[in-house]
Amino acid sequence: MAFWDEQIETLPREELATLQLKRLKNVIARARNSIFYRNRLADIDESQFTKPEDVVQLPFTTKHDLRLNYDFGLLTVPQEEIVRMHSSSGTTGKATVIFHTRRDIANWANLVARCIVMAGAEKRDVFQNIISYGMFTGGLGLHYGAESVGMLVIPSGVGNTKRQIQLMKDFKTTVFHATPSYILYVSEVMEEEGDDPREFDLRIGFVGAEPHSEQTRQKIEDIYDISAFNSYGMSELNGPGVAFECEEKSGMHFWEDQYLLEVVNPHTGEALGPGEEGELVVTTLCREAMPIIRYRTGDLASIVDDGEPCACGRAHVRISRIKGRTDDMLIVRGVNLYPSQIEDVLMSFPEVATNYQLYLERKGTLDELTVKVELYPKMFTGDLRMLRKLENDILKAIQDEIMVRPRVEFHEPGSLPRTEGKAVRVVDLRKEN
Ligand code: AMP
Ligand code: ZN
């Protein structure tokens, strides 16, 4: 089993805690160089901190704070020290910008390299980075990590699907990075073109940037005959390289030497223990240009609590799949639900293809949920009885999961809208009434 930085990846937990405490104190002191944190941290005396958990004495930082302090309010260095800026893809609301020093960029590349090596990829691999470049962090983030490892990087970006496929063939791509929704679309185009996705040289896929279920991962693995790894990050915390799966695939290792993790009740802000699902709150421990303290990520997950350290030997905690964002939650007929719950159900049906969308409408006073799903072409044989049975089975399975009875609509493959970036899974027409 390979490591990028074995010493830090396997650091015993006590030593990890000592390192975190030291870095936490440093980052607080550094943050005070910014206009925003100078006021925010005025009453804090970090010299009294004795353990990383003392972080709870600090106030939270929210996306709203970042927006209010747009553009340089959180900057701790003179502007001439910044070498790059990135921004969030604005999944919800206005984008936020993040700045990096030269050392921040090097540090980030190093973290991504850890993830790449942890997943079993190597210098000899040919890496196609099928994700948006530019302000979005997924492109350049993986790009520099892969170059650090020494892979041949094909910065193909998203779109122009036939060219992507041609590049894979011509240069014998062995590893890709993509959103799950786009890479599934690529496989459909391959099939249309008469190519078998399993026949390519691909062996590993990094999939992330959007929520997806275990079943979706398995679909990607089966379709391409590869091993797929979940990759988590966000621009506020650099981008990819925050948490990533190892070959055990029992959660994503969260790099605790760089990021201090808490899980809190999203409503009360109270600390939650391992195994309890809540909002991830993260403090950057090493970032120079723009440290962020106790950032409310909005992402819902839990710390894996299986009582065992990971068999791969890494000491850093593992987090579950991201269930969604606190602001993804839908309230349908008074019931709270997340799109990912419906995806879990849909993807467990082998007849269901890879694209789906949820439509919400209000009929009178009642919410109506329509689940539109693409089926594989082989399902459209004219056997209506079979389709009706499938519709009923899916409907019942969703109802059992979310306690709301949806309508289920079948569509041909390729007929529901697609995006090249993050998939748009929910169309909520209720707000327009
Ligand atoms: P951005 O800053 O635009 O890259 O968006 C970051 C957000 O994308 C995160 O806060 C998550 O909500 C989502 N995200 C990123 N990676 C994953 C992943 N592996 N699984 C689920 N959601 C993810
Ligand atoms: Zn592991």
Side-chain angles (χ1 to χ4, degrees):
M1 190 175 305
F3 290 92
W4 176 253
D5 188 345
E6 184 163 2
Q7 194 256 338
I8 205 81
E9 291 174 50
T10 60
L11 200 66
R13 293 206 59 82
E14 265 169 43
E15 288 176 46
L16 199 52
T18 309
L19 182 66
Q20 285 186 318
L21 178 61
K22 184 174 136 223
R23 289 184 170 173
L24 177 62
K25 290 181 181 179
N26 286 344
V27 89
I28 296 169
R30 167 175 279 280
R32 287 210 180 84
N33 295 331
S34 73
I35 299 166
F36 172 67
Y37 282 120
R38 190 173 310 143
N39 298 327
R40 196 49 92 88
L41 303 176
D43 301 333
I44 303 292
D45 178 9
E46 68 272 19
S47 66
Q48 302 299 312
F49 286 13
T50 58
K51 52 187 184 311
E53 291 76 16
D54 289 338
V55 72
V56 298
Q57 296 176 32
L58 303 171
F60 290 122
T61 304
T62 63
K63 209 174 184 86
H64 186 63
D65 292 324
L66 299 189
R67 287 190 183 128
L68 283 181
N69 291 278
Y70 182 97
D71 39 14
F72 295 120
L74 272 79
L75 199 62
T76 66
V77 294
Q79 201 179 322
E80 66 191 41
E81 295 301 318
I82 338 174
V83 299
R84 176 122 49 96
M85 76 179 250
H86 275 288
S87 85
S88 69
S89 39
T91 328
T92 45
K94 188 168 172 257
T96 44
V97 289
I98 305 292
F99 303 103
H100 302 275
T101 63
R102 191 178 296 280
R103 194 185 295 177
D104 288 334
I105 295 288
N107 212 15
W108 178 20
N110 215 16
L111 269 181
V112 174
R114 257 192 224 177
C115 302
I116 292 173
V117 171
M118 177 164 70
E122 309 170 10
K123 184 175 184 315
R124 68 183 167 90
D125 279 300
V126 177
F127 174 62
Q128 194 164 329
N129 203 13
I130 312 177
I131 205 141
S132 174
Y133 274 68
M135 298 283 269
F136 174 60
T137 56
L140 290 174
L142 257 292
H143 183 104
Y144 282 98
E147 280 191 359
S148 299
V149 173
M151 302 159 103
L152 164 56
V153 180
I154 307 177
S156 59
V158 278
N160 204 341
T161 309
K162 287 184 185 163
R163 182 162 147 265
Q164 301 278 3
I165 297 170
Q166 196 62 46
L167 287 167
M168 282 183 190
K169 276 188 194 165
D170 292 349
F171 298 98
K172 303 198 171 6
T173 302
T174 53
V175 180
F176 68 75
H177 172 218
T179 58
S181 50
Y182 187 61
I183 204 65
L184 285 166
Y185 174 65
V186 171
S187 72
E188 288 168 22
V189 177
M190 284 175 172
E191 278 162 6
E192 271 167 38
E193 299 285 298
D195 287 323
D196 178 355
R198 299 174 67 90
E199 293 296 307
F200 286 69
D201 295 277
L202 299 168
R203 64 183 198 98
I204 290 175
F206 306 144
V207 290
E210 63 186 14
H212 57 290
S213 63
E214 182 57 38
Q215 285 83 354
T216 300
R217 180 239 295 278
Q218 277 166 19
K219 244 180 187 161
I220 294 171
E221 293 190 328
D222 287 348
I223 288 173
Y224 283 100
D225 189 22
I226 58 162
S227 188
F229 295 84
N230 193 1
S231 159
Y232 170 72
M234 71 186 64
S235 56
E236 295 90 326
L237 306 175
N238 293 353
V242 176
F244 209 92
E245 282 176 323
C246 68
E247 290 179 274
E248 301 295 321
K249 297 187 185 169
S250 56
M252 295 182 275
H253 284 289
F254 192 100
W255 298 124
E256 293 179 277
D257 58 310
Q258 301 282 327
Y259 301 104
L260 184 58
L261 174 65
E262 303 165 70
V263 182
V264 306
N265 176 323
H267 308 293
T268 63
E270 241 173 301
L272 297 176
E276 294 182 298
E277 186 178 270
E279 181 177 353
L280 305 181
V281 170
V282 184
T283 301
T284 64
L285 290 175
C286 295
R287 207 158 56 198
E288 286 188 335
M290 196 169 158
I292 302 190
I293 290 171
R294 299 197 83 202
Y295 186 59
R296 299 285 302 249
T297 64
D299 290 327
L300 294 168
S302 58
I303 291 178
V304 173
D305 182 25
D306 54 12
E308 300 276 334
C310 187
C312 76
R314 290 177 180 83
H316 302 242
V317 289
R318 283 159 290 148
I319 57 168
S320 67
R321 273 179 192 284
I322 309 295
K323 180 172 179 186
R325 300 184 49 79
T326 46
D327 36 24
D328 279 347
M329 193 183 77
L330 299 169
I331 304 181
V332 180
R333 296 186 201 165
V335 177
N336 299 351
L337 62 97
Y338 287 90
S340 61
Q341 289 175 279
I342 298 177
E343 174 170 330
D344 281 347
V345 174
L346 290 176
M347 294 303 143
S348 65
F349 285 85
E351 299 88 346
V352 169
T354 53
N355 200 10
Y356 71 96
Q357 233 175 6
L358 312 179
Y359 275 73
L360 284 157
E361 287 166 283
R362 184 156 288 147
K363 295 271 162 71
T365 54
L366 213 56
D367 294 329
E368 266 205 7
L369 168 64
T370 306
V371 178
K372 300 189 177 187
V373 286
E374 290 182 8
L375 293 184
Y376 284 116
K378 60 173 187 259
M379 297 305 298
F380 294 97
T381 54
D383 185 345
L384 282 183
R385 244 193 359 204
M386 186 189 66
L387 281 181
R388 198 139 304 143
K389 175 169 182 323
L390 180 64
E391 183 185 320
N392 242 318
D393 290 348
I394 293 178
L395 199 151
K396 266 200 71 215
I398 293 177
Q399 192 173 6
D400 286 348
E401 172 65 31
I402 63 171
M403 310 302 157
V404 171
R405 190 179 168 82
R407 282 171 4 119
V408 173
E409 260 180 30
F410 292 147
H411 292 255
E412 285 180 40
S415 60
L416 292 178
R418 291 185 185 270
T419 52
E420 288 172 349
K422 301 188 188 221
V424 178
R425 296 302 191 192
V426 180
V427 180
D428 195 343
L429 301 169
R430 295 176 301 180
K431 289 171 189 148
E432 288 167 14
N433 294 333

